[in-house]
Structure formats: structure tokens, C-alpha cells
Amino acid sequence: MNVRSLQNLVLVARVVAASVWLYEGLYLKVLVLAPHELAVVQSLPQVLPLSPEAILRLIGAGETLLALGVLSGLFPRFVAAFQSGLLIAMNAIGILFAGGGAIADSLGLIVHN
């Protein structure tokens, strides 16, 4: 594999990863407020003085910013590590603290992510 092919492969991987963050963040949490996403936030203990809708939009905005960071290609190791840590933290919080069946398929959530 030559250098140009490797660069193209890295670019495709960045676009794919950023697309997932844009869909999950911008679309599902900012623009649409997907019911299943909102149900997870509503089932968490209220620790911030914000509505569940505002918290969901805040999370979505952060995920959108992360997508832009992935697309930029700046600090790739840090961004990759940050993404991994964020996914682990979000899944752990959702699985451990989201009561009432908000996350019915915990294993599916982990595989999906």
C-alpha cells in the first residue's frame, strides 16, 4: 500500500467516524430529540438544573464538536482516546444509572458503540 492509498484510507475512516458522531449528536440529540435518547436522559438522576431536553441537546452539541475534531485530523491520538473514554463513560452511566428499562438491551448498546 502506497502513502497516497494510506492517506485516503485514513480520510475515509475519519469521515465515517465523524458521520456517526454527527448522526448520533446533531441529528438524534439536537435536531430531532429522538424518543429513545430522551428516555435515557429522563431516567438518569437529576443532577443538573437543566431539563432533560436541554441536557440531551448539550450532549448532542458536544458530540457534534467531537465530529468536527475527528474531521479536522488534529491531535488524532488524543481525539481517538477521548472518543473511546467518552463512549465507555456514556455507556457505563446509561447502563448503571438509567433505571426503568430506558436501556432494554445493554449488550446491544455496547456492540452498537
Side-chain angles (χ1 to χ4, degrees):
M1 180 176 277
N2 64 30
V3 173
R4 183 72 175 156
S5 296
L6 185 57
Q7 288 173 334
N8 287 338
L9 183 62
V10 168
L11 178 61
V12 167
R14 284 197 343 245
V15 169
V16 168
S19 297
V20 172
W21 284 113
L22 283 173
Y23 173 73
E24 292 286 334
L26 181 63
Y27 184 71
L28 291 180
K29 294 180 181 92
V30 174
L31 299 176
V32 175
L33 287 181
H36 66 281
E37 300 283 351
L38 186 56
V40 171
V41 174
Q42 288 172 331
S43 68
L44 295 172
Q46 188 73 26
V47 295
L48 297 175
L50 299 171
S51 69
E53 292 83 3
I55 292 170
L56 189 62
R57 284 196 168 101
L58 187 63
I59 293 168
E63 290 177 347
T64 301
L65 288 173
L66 186 54
L68 296 175
V70 170
L71 282 175
S72 76
L74 299 173
F75 312 107
R77 290 178 195 250
F78 171 78
V79 172
F82 186 78
Q83 288 179 92
S84 298
L86 185 62
L87 282 172
I88 291 167
M90 287 175 24
N91 287 321
I93 289 168
I95 291 168
L96 295 173
F97 300 108
I103 299 178
D105 182 15
S106 300
L107 181 59
L109 174 71
I110 292 168
V111 171
H112 170 81
N113 285 315

